Amino acid sequence: MAVYNRTPVTVPCVETKYRTIKTALPVPESIPLLEKLEKFEPQSMLGQPPVVWDRAEGFQVYDKWGNIWLDWSSGVLVTNMGHAHPKICAALEKAVKNKLIATYVFYHEQRAELVELLASIAPKGLDKVFLLTTGSEATENCIKLARTYGIQKGGRDKHVIVGFTNAFHGRTMGAQMAGGVAKQKEWIVNLDPGFVTVPFPDGFINEDLRFELFLETLENQGIDPKNVAGVMSESFQGAGPYFMPIEYAQQLQAFCRENDALLIMDEVQAGFGRAGKWFAFEHYDITPDLIACGKGISSSLPLAAVIGRQDVMNLYKPGSMTSTHSGSPLPVVAAVANIKAMKEEKIVENAAQLEPTLMTALYDIQKKHPARVGAVFGKGLVAGLQIVKSGKDPDPDTAQRINETCFHRGLLMFAPVGTGGQCIKICPPLTITKDALLDGVKVLTQVCDEILD
Ligand code: PMP
């Protein structure tokens, strides 16, 4: 959807404490590399601002030509502890020196340390941890466990997985069937009728926040609640970020308990402090049965995990629920260092403390441009501006112009998100300081003032 200008344009020089822009953008010398990527990669890989990352440290991204961006992407909500955190890098260097970089699922020390750590930050009763590599694998595994559990408890009819409109759980087949974007499922053709979608109570796209709507939708689709094996939801949906009303989440939990359906919270994006708590579902005061984790778990190398109830996690016999890279030593070492550093440096608290600074600034932008900023949502250090033509009508072109102009001024965000491409998403590393956050706010405010009328 997002198409960035690939012809270098002269942009004003920027030289502040956190941002430096001293070349045309994209950098003329980077064009051959961009062309090589265009030649050898699918076009799906070419949707981000054309900066060639050379180094990323803390909350800044550097190219080879002297430009420095203040990062409001965290990659894609990965580097919660900042890019290349010194404690993570040191742990990785030590592991490489020790020469243990691949293990399959043979045992190693750090794996034991990590699963214990993860169980310790999860709610009581969720004390088994299965390590994987990507978020999609984690959500797929939750689906599989829920169905396996359901069939065992209630027979083959108890296999229904309920997901939400606009939900995103990854790009593999099961994850997309549980997801809530019809267009993304067209390629599947034969959709499994055992996946059901109910409206997500986001308060913007869908203003009906009653839990009864969940029940009514199941009824209209002929689903007996007793046949629901699991309900999966992101703790917040990325493109808002949209949170559920607390009461709705609690009613959802009660529904699951009543029907012996597993409550699965997808924390791949929401977890590890992003919304100002270790897990974003803590805002709802609920306890899921399974948690899917990824991204911020390591702030760096690819790692994912499912954390869950012992009886569910033990459904598969030794050797029958594994993956080649489960517990791969380097991602595991990175995750251990990451989680310890998050605790030591009180980074979750930092995200919570900076929330009012960020949200006040975003509401101020909305107040100045009420017709064009349809809504503002956020918690902790994740937020979004919904750019609209009017009302709720998405305006992806304007969102894209805001995003690209910020990029030209040294503020890096990934391409606008949302099914309409209208959401300017803000998600800096949780290590960002108030001063640096305000520096970014200044850029975004100026750019919105210039572009929105
Ligand atoms: N669930 C959510 C909520 C996500 O945001 C993502 C990734 N954006 C995924 C699952 C899939 O993770 P991955 O890309 O690591 O497979």
Side-chain angles (χ1 to χ4, degrees), residues 183-230:
K183 246 181 114 177
Q184 292 180 0
K185 309 188 205 192
E186 277 170 7
W187 65 278
I188 301 174
V189 184
N190 295 309
L191 289 173
D192 179 340
F195 284 86
V196 174
T197 306
V198 298
F200 186 82
D202 55 71
F204 183 58
I205 304 166
N206 164 27
E207 289 182 38
D208 186 345
L209 304 178
R210 296 170 308 124
F211 185 69
E212 286 70 29
L213 184 58
F214 178 101
L215 300 173
E216 287 160 16
T217 311
L218 289 192
E219 199 182 332
N220 291 340
Q221 302 198 24
I223 304 292
D224 178 350
K226 292 278 170 259
N227 287 336
V228 176

Side-chain angles (χ1 to χ4, degrees), residues 319-337:
S320 62
M321 192 176 83
T322 57
S323 168
T324 302
H325 294 292
S326 285
S328 179
L330 295 185
V332 162
V333 159
V336 169

